[in-house]
Amino acid sequence: MTAPTAPDRLLSVLAAFDHEHPALCLTDISRRAGLSLTTAHRLVGALTEWGALERDESGVYHVGLRLWELAALAPRGLALRQIALPYLEDLYEATHENVQLAVRDGRDVVYTEWLSGRSAVGVHIRVGARWPLHATGVGLALLAHGDPVFQKEYCEGDLASFTPYTITEPERLRRVLADVRRSGVAVSDRQVTEDALSVAAPVRGADGTVTVAVSIVVPHADAQVPVLGPAVRVAARGISRALGWQP
């Protein structure tokens, strides 16, 4: 096995932080990164000096603003959010339900924006959260319009289950993806939580490829897919045009 390089070790320190562990002491960073305390101390010091990490008065470390500044330059991050936000706000005003924007990263969907209604159904989503593609509406929309080779590999891989309704059979997933391509809308029914249903639509970039997806999440008991589908498609089409897509 190849020994970790210096960049590997630096990245392992940053990867020690996640939504469940946003603040860590040096010992925790060392343990989660798989590094000796001495090595972790040296790397954390360098990252703190550069601004990638910040240390509070209690000695606990947090992700620093320097990383946020860099992340804002990502074309699928803040720039995308600024383009899409007016259309997401229109969708929210029309429904007063949870509205989400997401992109694909490997086998996961990553949420880049989320507008939440005060009385909307509770969801396990936040900006930056990840979920497997097959379990969410936005993920199904992205997967259905993705590279066929990747689709095949994904369907044949491990399909994690979160509720009794999560799609875990490869053949069923293939049928669902085919339905998404035919209808232009992806529906994820109680796959993540048993009280929520998501309706999503693909967003196309300037070259016509599907790079983003937008969705609305509503209580399963009140879901009216024939009504929600067109609203989500209108929002997705508006974002697509803003990104330069010409039908």
Side-chain angles (χ1 to χ4, degrees):
M1 182 180 295
T2 305
T5 64
D8 291 334
R9 289 191 286 269
L10 275 172
L11 292 173
S12 70
V13 170
L14 294 176
F17 295 84
D18 57 27
H19 284 289
E20 284 68 44
H21 304 88
L24 297 169
C25 67
L26 183 60
T27 301
D28 290 335
I29 294 174
S30 170
R31 175 179 54 80
R32 288 177 55 79
L35 301 171
S36 69
L37 195 58
T38 301
T39 300
H41 181 270
R42 175 171 54 83
L43 295 177
V44 166
L47 289 168
T48 302
E49 183 177 355
W50 186 76
L53 297 178
E54 296 177 356
R55 184 174 183 267
D56 65 23
E57 295 178 354
S58 66
V60 171
Y61 292 89
H62 308 259
V63 173
L65 282 176
R66 189 75 179 270
L67 288 183
W68 184 86
E69 293 172 4
L70 286 176
L73 300 176
R76 295 191 299 168
L78 186 59
L80 171 62
R81 175 187 178 276
Q82 291 174 334
I83 292 172
L85 193 56
Y87 304 95
L88 301 179
E89 290 175 336
D90 286 346
L91 183 57
Y92 171 78
E93 288 300 328
T95 63
H96 291 284
E97 301 287 357
N98 294 309
V99 173
Q100 304 166 339
L101 187 74
V103 299
R104 182 174 78 83
D105 186 27
R107 292 177 60 86
D108 296 333
V109 59
V110 178
Y111 291 85
T112 58
E113 185 55 274
W114 170 40
L115 304 181
S116 177
R118 285 193 296 269
S119 59
V121 64
V123 293
H124 298 296
I125 297 300
R126 65 177 77 84
V127 172
R130 288 175 175 267
W131 283 90
L133 290 166
H134 68 280
T136 66
V138 283
L140 290 172
L142 290 164
L143 184 58
H145 294 278
D147 178 73
V149 174
F150 174 75
Q151 286 182 37
K152 182 176 184 297
E153 293 174 350
Y154 190 97
C155 291
E156 294 173 352
D158 179 45
L159 301 177
S161 178
F162 304 99
T163 75
Y165 304 97
T166 307
I167 300 172
T168 57
E169 302 82 24
E171 189 54 42
R172 181 187 170 203
L173 179 56
R174 293 187 187 97
R175 292 196 301 270
V176 168
L177 296 179
D179 287 341
V180 172
R181 288 189 290 272
R182 281 194 295 267
S183 67
V185 171
V187 178
S188 177
D189 186 4
R190 296 168 289 175
Q191 287 209 81
V192 175
T193 61
E194 295 189 41
D195 61 343
L197 180 144
S198 172
V199 181
V203 173
R204 297 186 181 276
D207 61 356
T209 59
V210 174
T211 57
V212 188
V214 61
S215 71
I216 183 169
V217 181
V218 300
H220 164 76
D222 301 331
Q224 298 181 28
V225 175
V227 175
L228 298 174
V232 176
R233 281 200 300 267
V234 167
R237 181 175 286 262
I239 299 170
S240 298
R241 289 180 178 275
L243 290 173
W245 177 61
Q246 296 295 326

